[in-house]
Structure formats: C-alpha cells, structure tokens
Amino acid sequence: MLLQSCKKEAALVAIDQSYGYTVPQGNHTYDKTITDFYGKYGVYLLYKFSDKDTYWTPTGWKNATPSTTIAGSWNPGYLAVQADTTSSDYINRQLIVLNKLWFGFYSDKFLKQFLPVKIMLCNTVDSVVSKATFTPNLTYTRVDTYVGAWYNFDNLCVSYGNSSAATMVQKDSITFAKKVNLIFMQSIITRNLSAPTADFTAATNYGVTYTSTATAYTAGIIAPYSSVTSQLDWAQYMQAMVTCTETTLNKSQVNTINSFTGILNVTKDTNGKIRQRYNIVRNYFINAYGVDLQAIGNYSGR
C-alpha cells in the first residue's frame, strides 16, 4: 500500500521548509512513512500541532471557544484533538485507513495538485455548539458532535488516530470515506484550485434569473438557483460524484427537491442538460488526472 512502511527502515531525514513545520516529528515506526509522504507530495502529515496551525485563518479563528459574555455558552466552531500516540499502532493504522479511504482513490498527479499543505492526524474531530435550556431557568450547555473530518484554510483534519482504526466495520469505512472525500472536494474549490471548463460554462445560461429549483434543473444547474455561478455549479457536480452512487443519481425524485438524488433521471433532467454537464466534469478529471470521481461515490455513497 502507498503508506505501508517497511520493517527495515532507512534513517529519517528532517525536512523543514518555510512553513515552519518539521518532519519527522518523532522516531516512531510511522515517521518514515510520514517523511516519505512529504517527499512525494510536499504535504505535512502532522500528529503534533498547535491551535494556530489548525484553527487560524486570515479572517479569524475557527475553533470553538467559551463565551466571554454568556456563562456556560460556547462560540460555535471545531475542535480537533491530536492523535493518540500512546501506541505506535494507532497512527500506523490511521495512515492505512487514510490510504484506503482517501488517498488511494486518486492518482499521484491529482494528490500533488490538490492536497492541502497540512493534514492533521487527529484522535477526534468535533463540531461544537451551545444548546439552550429555558426551564426552569435559561442555561447553556456545550454540545459536541463528531464529524470525522474538517477543512480549514490550509489544512484538513482527519480522525481515527486512536484504537478505533483497528475495529472499523464496513459502515464506519463508508461513512468516513464519504465525509473525507467530500471535505477534500470542498477544500479544492475553496482554494480556487479547480475552475469550470469553457464547455461546462457554455452549456447553460448564467445570465438569466432562475426562480425555482425545477427551472434551474432544466438548464443543467444543480447548485441552489439563487445567485448561482458556474464555479458554484462545478463544485456541486464534483461533490455529487464523490458522495452519491450512480444508482442514487439516476433514481427518480420530484424536481422540486434540491438534492443530488435523481439529478440524472429524466424527472429532474428533462432536457438532458444535467447529464451533459455531469459528463463534462467527470471526463475532465478522468482525462486530466486519471481520476474517476464517480468511482469514489460508488463506494462512499452506498
């Protein structure tokens, strides 16, 4: 496997560039794998990281924090807990999981082009919000929801850096594959690394105002029709492919429901425009990068 390290390991070489991160971060069995990954893709797999590494963006911090004005309340955000390093087996297995359910779906060319600078190897990744209780008095409690993966600015946080990587069942694998590949697609779009092709944009008219989901579908638009752009539409097609099976995309669903289900069925795709544009996006990534995004959805969308 791509991330499988050999028993007989060469000496680790520290790699430190202008970002201020260094690999290896230790001398575990998995550190050579992490160093080799950097050498191949220029991407840091970090199991030691600071809050600034993880949560900072030019527009503000994205981590959940206690409110300074309302007792018990939390400002919503994310919390990424560093991977459990009490056993070398945990991160070893986490790397195998990432290879099977994320990296293994893509070509080297795709990964070199689109992976973020940093991938945080986490124990857990949670979304945090406050829940209000109104009786007998107004009080707030913190609610953590496991999300598995999260993208922020120049990094992507992934879970399973713990003992659970060894006990994953098929349902766990499918759920994680769906989430991490969706987040990966969103990170690509957010960083403006993939733009719609000329034939994709030309296949519909973005110069008119669409007033309903149904009329947008007739034009081949699957993004929410309010203020839609070619870039937003391109992103939706990418996300549809990596999260849904072809069976789901071809399933009949009424054209008033804005979802990926049925976008290739004649009930929604009355003019065949969605299928035309779907094929443009799918074939673009196959021809340019040797990656069939739909193959990912056929696994993760089950």
Side-chain angles (χ1 to χ4, degrees):
M1 298 180 74
L2 172 66
L3 291 171
Q4 189 71 45
S5 60
C6 301
K7 291 183 179 179
K8 184 178 180 181
E9 298 178 353
L12 300 181
V13 178
I15 298 171
D16 188 4
Q17 293 195 349
S18 58
Y19 293 107
Y21 320 118
T22 302
V23 292
Q25 295 183 296
N27 192 30
H28 306 86
T29 57
Y30 46 77
D31 279 295
K32 181 179 185 300
T33 304
I34 289 172
T35 303
D36 289 346
F37 192 85
Y38 178 87
K40 188 170 187 177
Y41 299 112
V43 174
Y44 295 91
L45 297 169
L46 303 175
Y47 54 87
K48 297 177 184 177
F49 46 83
S50 67
D51 285 354
K52 184 176 181 180
D53 292 330
T54 311
Y55 304 122
W56 182 87
T57 76
T59 59
W61 293 71
K62 301 302 180 181
N63 54 315
T65 56
S67 172
T68 57
T69 57
I70 303 175
S73 179
W74 279 70
N75 301 310
Y78 290 86
L79 289 180
V81 178
Q82 293 184 12
D84 185 347
T85 57
T86 57
S87 169
S88 62
D89 187 54
Y90 296 161
I91 293 181
N92 272 327
R93 288 184 178 273
Q94 182 184 30
L95 294 175
I96 292 172
V97 167
L98 294 179
N99 181 65
K100 178 181 178 181
L101 303 178
W102 181 11
F103 307 137
F105 285 119
Y106 304 95
S107 65
D108 286 347
K109 181 180 180 180
F110 192 102
L111 294 175
K112 289 175 182 177
Q113 175 70 21
F114 295 121
L115 281 176
V117 173
K118 300 172 291 183
I119 296 172
M120 307 311 199
L121 302 178
C122 303
N123 186 325
T124 58
V125 183
D126 294 338
S127 170
V128 177
V129 297
S130 284
K131 179 181 178 181
T133 301
F134 296 95
T135 57
N137 301 302
L138 177 60
T139 59
Y140 293 90
T141 55
R142 170 177 148 177
V143 178
D144 294 22
T145 302
Y146 173 78
V147 296
W150 170 60
Y151 166 72
N152 180 45
F153 187 48
D154 65 351
N155 69 82
L156 202 154
C157 299
V158 290
S159 58
Y160 281 105
N162 53 51
S163 60
S164 65
T167 58
M168 293 177 73
V169 296
Q170 186 181 60
K171 181 180 178 181
D172 299 328
S173 297
I174 291 171
T175 299
F176 181 68
K178 184 173 184 176
K179 186 58 179 284
V180 73
N181 287 287
L182 171 62
I183 294 295
F184 187 29
M185 292 303 107
Q186 292 173 344
S187 79
I188 291 170
I189 294 297
T190 301
R191 289 176 288 147
N192 296 315
L193 295 181
S194 182
T197 59
D199 53 346
F200 177 86
T201 301
T204 196
N205 186 356
Y206 289 99
V208 300
T209 300
Y210 296 95
T211 57
S212 70
T213 297
T215 56
Y217 282 149
T218 63
I221 293 172
I222 65 171
Y225 61 87
S226 177
S227 303
V228 67
T229 65
S230 181
Q231 180 71 31
L232 290 174
D233 227 9
W234 180 266
Q236 290 292 99
Y237 275 93
M238 291 172 63
Q239 292 174 56
M241 289 181 208
V242 300
T243 58
C244 299
T245 65
E246 289 178 89
T247 299
T248 298
L249 297 180
N250 282 283
K251 182 180 179 180
S252 180
Q253 186 182 75
V254 294
N255 63 2
T256 55
I257 298 177
N258 186 5
S259 76
F260 295 147
T261 300
I263 57 172
L264 298 182
N265 186 283
V266 68
T267 304
K268 285 185 175 179
D269 190 20
T270 54
N271 292 337
K273 298 283 286 186
I274 296 177
R275 185 174 293 276
Q276 176 191 1
R277 307 183 82 218
Y278 165 92
N279 287 335
I280 290 173
V281 179
R282 184 175 182 179
N283 290 332
Y284 167 77
F285 285 102
I286 291 173
N287 295 330
Y289 296 97
V291 174
D292 185 355
L293 296 183
Q294 187 57 65
I296 302 168
N298 289 343
Y299 175 87
S300 66
R302 290 178 293 166

